[in-house]
Amino acid sequence: MSNHKPEGNPGPGRIGSGMVVAAWILGLALLTMLFSDYLGGQRNPNREIASRQTQDFVEIVLQQNRGNHYVASADINGIPVEVLLDTGASSVSIPAHLADDMGLERQAPMQVVTANGTVSVYATYVDEIRIGDIVLHNIRATINPHMREDFVLLGMSFLKHLEFNQRGGQLVLRQQK
């Protein structure tokens, strides 16, 4: 008597093992997606921004992230980006790879002092920056070829057009109409 199985018939043991491996791979993929979404929410708790409007102003409230920063989803020239609000930056600073996607024109080169030292950047203007229902036009910015991040720093060239107040882990931005 031979225990030899005919060729071409994998048998129930092989099929069962393959199903277990496939289940593990599927389970790990689902966990990775869920964990990635969770971490994204920790980095940017302001992915969906509700606005409050009156006849006098538009107001949004941003939540601080785990690093005590204010990160939010925004649109710059119609392109969705993440922004980090930075009162220590004099202007909006856009990484060069994102500026290219936005079609921004590199104007005069200039030297700026950053937290990482003095770097060469290019002056530019952004047609529109939108966070929630707050919309600003023709904002002075710089294109920074040294930034490798995938977020834009929203400095004072943006923030000076708004009233803002930070208290208890929230930042309220208000635009007068």
Side-chain angles (χ1 to χ4, degrees):
M1 222 182 227
S2 170
N3 287 337
H4 181 68
K5 293 182 184 173
E7 295 261 337
N9 183 359
R14 284 185 148 179
I15 292 174
S17 297
M19 295 297 282
V20 169
V21 169
W24 273 102
I25 290 171
L26 182 62
L28 288 173
L30 287 172
L31 283 172
T32 300
M33 288 176 17
L34 290 172
F35 191 65
S36 175
D37 192 49
Y38 172 76
L39 289 178
Q42 296 294 307
R43 185 187 74 253
N44 178 3
N46 303 296
R47 292 190 273 180
E48 294 183 29
I49 300 171
S51 301
R52 183 174 80 121
Q53 294 195 31
T54 70
Q55 65 186 52
D56 298 325
F57 63 84
V58 177
E59 181 178 274
I60 63 173
V61 178
L62 301 178
Q63 303 299 319
Q64 223 172 34
N65 70 9
R66 289 185 66 183
N68 297 324
H69 298 285
Y70 293 99
V71 176
S73 297
D75 287 336
I76 296 181
N77 289 351
I79 305 292
V81 294
E82 281 191 339
V83 295
L84 171 69
L85 283 80
D86 186 355
T87 58
S90 58
S91 71
V92 172
S93 184
I94 304 169
H97 67 280
L98 293 179
D100 293 340
D101 293 343
M102 294 172 194
L104 296 178
E105 179 184 336
R106 293 179 190 209
Q107 297 173 355
M110 51 198 277
Q111 298 286 311
V112 296
V113 178
T114 71
N116 295 321
T118 302
V119 297
S120 296
V121 298
Y122 298 91
T124 195
Y125 278 87
V126 175
D127 292 332
E128 180 182 275
I129 300 176
R130 175 183 300 269
I131 300 179
D133 288 334
I134 291 179
V135 181
L136 296 175
H137 297 278
N138 200 30
I139 301 297
R140 183 175 53 86
T142 60
I143 298 171
N144 187 336
H146 308 284
M147 285 178 72
R148 302 289 177 238
E149 295 85 3
D150 286 329
F151 60 83
V152 172
L153 291 178
L154 281 190
M156 291 306 294
S157 64
F158 174 83
L159 293 170
K160 71 181 181 182
H161 299 284
L162 306 172
E163 296 173 26
F164 56 95
N165 183 16
Q166 190 267 330
R167 184 176 309 142
Q170 292 185 329
L171 178 65
V172 178
L173 298 177
R174 181 179 284 180
Q175 178 184 27
Q176 297 297 322
K177 289 186 179 179

mmCIF file with all atom_site columns, all heavy atoms in Angstrom, residues 56-70:
data_model
loop_
_atom_site.group_PDB
_atom_site.id
_atom_site.type_symbol
_atom_site.label_atom_id
_atom_site.label_alt_id
_atom_site.label_comp_id
_atom_site.label_asym_id
_atom_site.label_entity_id
_atom_site.label_seq_id
_atom_site.pdbx_PDB_ins_code
_atom_site.Cartn_x
_atom_site.Cartn_y
_atom_site.Cartn_z
_atom_site.occupancy
_atom_site.B_iso_or_equiv
_atom_site.pdbx_formal_charge
_atom_site.auth_seq_id
_atom_site.auth_comp_id
_atom_site.auth_asym_id
_atom_site.auth_atom_id
_atom_site.pdbx_PDB_model_num
ATOM 1   N N   . ASP A 1 56 ? -20.595 88.707 11.052 1.00 0.00 ? 56 ASP A N   1
ATOM 2   C CA  . ASP A 1 56 ? -19.373 89.487 11.253 1.00 0.00 ? 56 ASP A CA  1
ATOM 3   C C   . ASP A 1 56 ? -18.077 88.709 11.053 1.00 0.00 ? 56 ASP A C   1
ATOM 4   O O   . ASP A 1 56 ? -17.048 89.295 10.773 1.00 0.00 ? 56 ASP A O   1
ATOM 5   C CB  . ASP A 1 56 ? -19.355 90.069 12.672 1.00 0.00 ? 56 ASP A CB  1
ATOM 6   C CG  . ASP A 1 56 ? -20.504 91.023 12.915 1.00 0.00 ? 56 ASP A CG  1
ATOM 7   O OD1 . ASP A 1 56 ? -20.892 91.742 11.969 1.00 0.00 ? 56 ASP A OD1 1
ATOM 8   O OD2 . ASP A 1 56 ? -21.024 91.038 14.050 1.00 0.00 ? 56 ASP A OD2 1
ATOM 9   N N   . PHE A 1 57 ? -18.106 87.401 11.258 1.00 0.00 ? 57 PHE A N   1
ATOM 10  C CA  . PHE A 1 57 ? -16.857 86.648 11.197 1.00 0.00 ? 57 PHE A CA  1
ATOM 11  C C   . PHE A 1 57 ? -17.071 85.176 10.856 1.00 0.00 ? 57 PHE A C   1
ATOM 12  O O   . PHE A 1 57 ? -18.190 84.666 10.931 1.00 0.00 ? 57 PHE A O   1
ATOM 13  C CB  . PHE A 1 57 ? -16.095 86.760 12.524 1.00 0.00 ? 57 PHE A CB  1
ATOM 14  C CG  . PHE A 1 57 ? -16.816 86.171 13.707 1.00 0.00 ? 57 PHE A CG  1
ATOM 15  C CD1 . PHE A 1 57 ? -16.745 84.814 13.997 1.00 0.00 ? 57 PHE A CD1 1
ATOM 16  C CD2 . PHE A 1 57 ? -17.578 86.980 14.551 1.00 0.00 ? 57 PHE A CD2 1
ATOM 17  C CE1 . PHE A 1 57 ? -17.410 84.271 15.085 1.00 0.00 ? 57 PHE A CE1 1
ATOM 18  C CE2 . PHE A 1 57 ? -18.250 86.452 15.640 1.00 0.00 ? 57 PHE A CE2 1
ATOM 19  C CZ  . PHE A 1 57 ? -18.168 85.087 15.904 1.00 0.00 ? 57 PHE A CZ  1
ATOM 20  N N   . VAL A 1 58 ? -15.959 84.527 10.510 1.00 0.00 ? 58 VAL A N   1
ATOM 21  C CA  . VAL A 1 58 ? -15.882 83.074 10.343 1.00 0.00 ? 58 VAL A CA  1
ATOM 22  C C   . VAL A 1 58 ? -14.875 82.600 11.382 1.00 0.00 ? 58 VAL A C   1
ATOM 23  O O   . VAL A 1 58 ? -13.811 83.204 11.563 1.00 0.00 ? 58 VAL A O   1
ATOM 24  C CB  . VAL A 1 58 ? -15.373 82.682 8.938  1.00 0.00 ? 58 VAL A CB  1
ATOM 25  C CG1 . VAL A 1 58 ? -15.235 81.171 8.814  1.00 0.00 ? 58 VAL A CG1 1
ATOM 26  C CG2 . VAL A 1 58 ? -16.262 83.242 7.861  1.00 0.00 ? 58 VAL A CG2 1
ATOM 27  N N   . GLU A 1 59 ? -15.209 81.521 12.071 1.00 0.00 ? 59 GLU A N   1
ATOM 28  C CA  . GLU A 1 59 ? -14.350 81.046 13.157 1.00 0.00 ? 59 GLU A CA  1
ATOM 29  C C   . GLU A 1 59 ? -14.171 79.533 13.061 1.00 0.00 ? 59 GLU A C   1
ATOM 30  O O   . GLU A 1 59 ? -15.117 78.810 12.749 1.00 0.00 ? 59 GLU A O   1
ATOM 31  C CB  . GLU A 1 59 ? -14.998 81.414 14.489 1.00 0.00 ? 59 GLU A CB  1
ATOM 32  C CG  . GLU A 1 59 ? -14.237 81.021 15.706 1.00 0.00 ? 59 GLU A CG  1
ATOM 33  C CD  . GLU A 1 59 ? -14.948 81.466 16.974 1.00 0.00 ? 59 GLU A CD  1
ATOM 34  O OE1 . GLU A 1 59 ? -14.733 82.617 17.398 1.00 0.00 ? 59 GLU A OE1 1
ATOM 35  O OE2 . GLU A 1 59 ? -15.734 80.665 17.513 1.00 0.00 ? 59 GLU A OE2 1
ATOM 36  N N   . ILE A 1 60 ? -12.936 79.073 13.320 1.00 0.00 ? 60 ILE A N   1
ATOM 37  C CA  . ILE A 1 60 ? -12.677 77.639 13.436 1.00 0.00 ? 60 ILE A CA  1
ATOM 38  C C   . ILE A 1 60 ? -11.931 77.395 14.740 1.00 0.00 ? 60 ILE A C   1
ATOM 39  O O   . ILE A 1 60 ? -11.259 78.290 15.261 1.00 0.00 ? 60 ILE A O   1
ATOM 40  C CB  . ILE A 1 60 ? -11.878 77.070 12.240 1.00 0.00 ? 60 ILE A CB  1
ATOM 41  C CG1 . ILE A 1 60 ? -10.495 77.697 12.148 1.00 0.00 ? 60 ILE A CG1 1
ATOM 42  C CG2 . ILE A 1 60 ? -12.656 77.229 10.946 1.00 0.00 ? 60 ILE A CG2 1
ATOM 43  C CD1 . ILE A 1 60 ? -9.596  77.070 11.108 1.00 0.00 ? 60 ILE A CD1 1
ATOM 44  N N   . VAL A 1 61 ? -12.074 76.192 15.268 1.00 0.00 ? 61 VAL A N   1
ATOM 45  C CA  . VAL A 1 61 ? -11.379 75.799 16.487 1.00 0.00 ? 61 VAL A CA  1
ATOM 46  C C   . VAL A 1 61 ? -10.519 74.585 16.156 1.00 0.00 ? 61 VAL A C   1
ATOM 47  O O   . VAL A 1 61 ? -11.023 73.572 15.668 1.00 0.00 ? 61 VAL A O   1
ATOM 48  C CB  . VAL A 1 61 ? -12.367 75.448 17.627 1.00 0.00 ? 61 VAL A CB  1
ATOM 49  C CG1 . VAL A 1 61 ? -11.605 75.001 18.868 1.00 0.00 ? 61 VAL A CG1 1
ATOM 50  C CG2 . VAL A 1 61 ? -13.270 76.637 17.930 1.00 0.00 ? 61 VAL A CG2 1
ATOM 51  N N   . LEU A 1 62 ? -9.214  74.707 16.408 1.00 0.00 ? 62 LEU A N   1
ATOM 52  C CA  . LEU A 1 62 ? -8.276  73.615 16.158 1.00 0.00 ? 62 LEU A CA  1
ATOM 53  C C   . LEU A 1 62 ? -7.870  72.983 17.483 1.00 0.00 ? 62 LEU A C   1
ATOM 54  O O   . LEU A 1 62 ? -7.672  73.687 18.478 1.00 0.00 ? 62 LEU A O   1
ATOM 55  C CB  . LEU A 1 62 ? -7.031  74.123 15.431 1.00 0.00 ? 62 LEU A CB  1
ATOM 56  C CG  . LEU A 1 62 ? -7.268  74.798 14.078 1.00 0.00 ? 62 LEU A CG  1
ATOM 57  C CD1 . LEU A 1 62 ? -5.947  75.292 13.501 1.00 0.00 ? 62 LEU A CD1 1
ATOM 58  C CD2 . LEU A 1 62 ? -7.980  73.868 13.125 1.00 0.00 ? 62 LEU A CD2 1
ATOM 59  N N   . GLN A 1 63 ? -7.742  71.655 17.458 1.00 0.00 ? 63 GLN A N   1
ATOM 60  C CA  . GLN A 1 63 ? -7.296  70.913 18.636 1.00 0.00 ? 63 GLN A CA  1
ATOM 61  C C   . GLN A 1 63 ? -5.786  70.694 18.558 1.00 0.00 ? 63 GLN A C   1
ATOM 62  O O   . GLN A 1 63 ? -5.259  70.406 17.487 1.00 0.00 ? 63 GLN A O   1
ATOM 63  C CB  . GLN A 1 63 ? -8.002  69.551 18.715 1.00 0.00 ? 63 GLN A CB  1
ATOM 64  C CG  . GLN A 1 63 ? -9.507  69.629 18.740 1.00 0.00 ? 63 GLN A CG  1
ATOM 65  C CD  . GLN A 1 63 ? -10.037 70.388 19.942 1.00 0.00 ? 63 GLN A CD  1
ATOM 66  O OE1 . GLN A 1 63 ? -9.548  70.256 21.052 1.00 0.00 ? 63 GLN A OE1 1
ATOM 67  N NE2 . GLN A 1 63 ? -11.042 71.217 19.709 1.00 0.00 ? 63 GLN A NE2 1
ATOM 68  N N   . GLN A 1 64 ? -5.126  70.793 19.701 1.00 0.00 ? 64 GLN A N   1
ATOM 69  C CA  . GLN A 1 64 ? -3.700  70.514 19.780 1.00 0.00 ? 64 GLN A CA  1
ATOM 70  C C   . GLN A 1 64 ? -3.460  69.024 19.547 1.00 0.00 ? 64 GLN A C   1
ATOM 71  O O   . GLN A 1 64 ? -4.255  68.193 19.983 1.00 0.00 ? 64 GLN A O   1
ATOM 72  C CB  . GLN A 1 64 ? -3.222  70.867 21.193 1.00 0.00 ? 64 GLN A CB  1
ATOM 73  C CG  . GLN A 1 64 ? -1.941  71.579 21.281 1.00 0.00 ? 64 GLN A CG  1
ATOM 74  C CD  . GLN A 1 64 ? -1.681  72.042 22.712 1.00 0.00 ? 64 GLN A CD  1
ATOM 75  O OE1 . GLN A 1 64 ? -2.050  71.379 23.671 1.00 0.00 ? 64 GLN A OE1 1
ATOM 76  N NE2 . GLN A 1 64 ? -1.048  73.177 22.836 1.00 0.00 ? 64 GLN A NE2 1
ATOM 77  N N   . ASN A 1 65 ? -2.352  68.683 18.867 1.00 0.00 ? 65 ASN A N   1
ATOM 78  C CA  . ASN A 1 65 ? -2.038  67.263 18.710 1.00 0.00 ? 65 ASN A CA  1
ATOM 79  C C   . ASN A 1 65 ? -1.215  66.780 19.910 1.00 0.00 ? 65 ASN A C   1
ATOM 80  O O   . ASN A 1 65 ? -0.942  67.546 20.839 1.00 0.00 ? 65 ASN A O   1
ATOM 81  C CB  . ASN A 1 65 ? -1.352  66.980 17.370 1.00 0.00 ? 65 ASN A CB  1
ATOM 82  C CG  . ASN A 1 65 ? 0.065   67.513 17.274 1.00 0.00 ? 65 ASN A CG  1
ATOM 83  O OD1 . ASN A 1 65 ? 0.665   67.973 18.240 1.00 0.00 ? 65 ASN A OD1 1
ATOM 84  N ND2 . ASN A 1 65 ? 0.618   67.449 16.079 1.00 0.00 ? 65 ASN A ND2 1
ATOM 85  N N   . ARG A 1 66 ? -0.816  65.527 19.888 1.00 0.00 ? 66 ARG A N   1
ATOM 86  C CA  . ARG A 1 66 ? -0.087  64.948 21.029 1.00 0.00 ? 66 ARG A CA  1
ATOM 87  C C   . ARG A 1 66 ? 1.247   65.642 21.277 1.00 0.00 ? 66 ARG A C   1
ATOM 88  O O   . ARG A 1 66 ? 1.763   65.605 22.379 1.00 0.00 ? 66 ARG A O   1
ATOM 89  C CB  . ARG A 1 66 ? 0.135   63.459 20.802 1.00 0.00 ? 66 ARG A CB  1
ATOM 90  C CG  . ARG A 1 66 ? -1.154  62.679 20.931 1.00 0.00 ? 66 ARG A CG  1
ATOM 91  C CD  . ARG A 1 66 ? -0.922  61.220 20.837 1.00 0.00 ? 66 ARG A CD  1
ATOM 92  N NE  . ARG A 1 66 ? -0.140  60.761 21.980 1.00 0.00 ? 66 ARG A NE  1
ATOM 93  C CZ  . ARG A 1 66 ? 0.278   59.533 22.156 1.00 0.00 ? 66 ARG A CZ  1
ATOM 94  N NH1 . ARG A 1 66 ? 0.007   58.611 21.255 1.00 0.00 ? 66 ARG A NH1 1
ATOM 95  N NH2 . ARG A 1 66 ? 0.961   59.197 23.212 1.00 0.00 ? 66 ARG A NH2 1
ATOM 96  N N   . GLY A 1 67 ? 1.816   66.256 20.239 1.00 0.00 ? 67 GLY A N   1
ATOM 97  C CA  . GLY A 1 67 ? 3.079   66.983 20.388 1.00 0.00 ? 67 GLY A CA  1
ATOM 98  C C   . GLY A 1 67 ? 2.883   68.437 20.774 1.00 0.00 ? 67 GLY A C   1
ATOM 99  O O   . GLY A 1 67 ? 3.803   69.229 20.735 1.00 0.00 ? 67 GLY A O   1
ATOM 100 N N   . ASN A 1 68 ? 1.649   68.815 21.121 1.00 0.00 ? 68 ASN A N   1
ATOM 101 C CA  . ASN A 1 68 ? 1.283   70.185 21.504 1.00 0.00 ? 68 ASN A CA  1
ATOM 102 C C   . ASN A 1 68 ? 1.408   71.183 20.358 1.00 0.00 ? 68 ASN A C   1
ATOM 103 O O   . ASN A 1 68 ? 1.657   72.360 20.579 1.00 0.00 ? 68 ASN A O   1
ATOM 104 C CB  . ASN A 1 68 ? 2.090   70.662 22.717 1.00 0.00 ? 68 ASN A CB  1
ATOM 105 C CG  . ASN A 1 68 ? 1.819   69.829 23.938 1.00 0.00 ? 68 ASN A CG  1
ATOM 106 O OD1 . ASN A 1 68 ? 0.685   69.390 24.150 1.00 0.00 ? 68 ASN A OD1 1
ATOM 107 N ND2 . ASN A 1 68 ? 2.837   69.570 24.734 1.00 0.00 ? 68 ASN A ND2 1
ATOM 108 N N   . HIS A 1 69 ? 1.240   70.707 19.127 1.00 0.00 ? 69 HIS A N   1
ATOM 109 C CA  . HIS A 1 69 ? 1.263   71.564 17.947 1.00 0.00 ? 69 HIS A CA  1
ATOM 110 C C   . HIS A 1 69 ? -0.140  71.609 17.356 1.00 0.00 ? 69 HIS A C   1
ATOM 111 O O   . HIS A 1 69 ? -0.968  70.750 17.611 1.00 0.00 ? 69 HIS A O   1
ATOM 112 C CB  . HIS A 1 69 ? 2.240   71.020 16.893 1.00 0.00 ? 69 HIS A CB  1
ATOM 113 C CG  . HIS A 1 69 ? 3.650   70.983 17.370 1.00 0.00 ? 69 HIS A CG  1
ATOM 114 N ND1 . HIS A 1 69 ? 4.425   72.100 17.495 1.00 0.00 ? 69 HIS A ND1 1
ATOM 115 C CD2 . HIS A 1 69 ? 4.431   69.939 17.753 1.00 0.00 ? 69 HIS A CD2 1
ATOM 116 C CE1 . HIS A 1 69 ? 5.619   71.765 17.938 1.00 0.00 ? 69 HIS A CE1 1
ATOM 117 N NE2 . HIS A 1 69 ? 5.653   70.454 18.109 1.00 0.00 ? 69 HIS A NE2 1
ATOM 118 N N   . TYR A 1 70 ? -0.357  72.616 16.524 1.00 0.00 ? 70 TYR A N   1
ATOM 119 C CA  . TYR A 1 70 ? -1.626  72.724 15.822 1.00 0.00 ? 70 TYR A CA  1
ATOM 120 C C   . TYR A 1 70 ? -1.394  72.368 14.358 1.00 0.00 ? 70 TYR A C   1
ATOM 121 O O   . TYR A 1 70 ? -0.806  73.131 13.599 1.00 0.00 ? 70 TYR A O   1
ATOM 122 C CB  . TYR A 1 70 ? -2.215  74.133 15.974 1.00 0.00 ? 70 TYR A CB  1
ATOM 123 C CG  . TYR A 1 70 ? -2.609  74.408 17.395 1.00 0.00 ? 70 TYR A CG  1
ATOM 124 C CD1 . TYR A 1 70 ? -1.789  75.140 18.244 1.00 0.00 ? 70 TYR A CD1 1
ATOM 125 C CD2 . TYR A 1 70 ? -3.792  73.884 17.910 1.00 0.00 ? 70 TYR A CD2 1
ATOM 126 C CE1 . TYR A 1 70 ? -2.140  75.369 19.562 1.00 0.00 ? 70 TYR A CE1 1
ATOM 127 C CE2 . TYR A 1 70 ? -4.154  74.106 19.235 1.00 0.00 ? 70 TYR A CE2 1
ATOM 128 C CZ  . TYR A 1 70 ? -3.320  74.845 20.052 1.00 0.00 ? 70 TYR A CZ  1
ATOM 129 O OH  . TYR A 1 70 ? -3.680  75.060 21.357 1.00 0.00 ? 70 TYR A OH  1
#
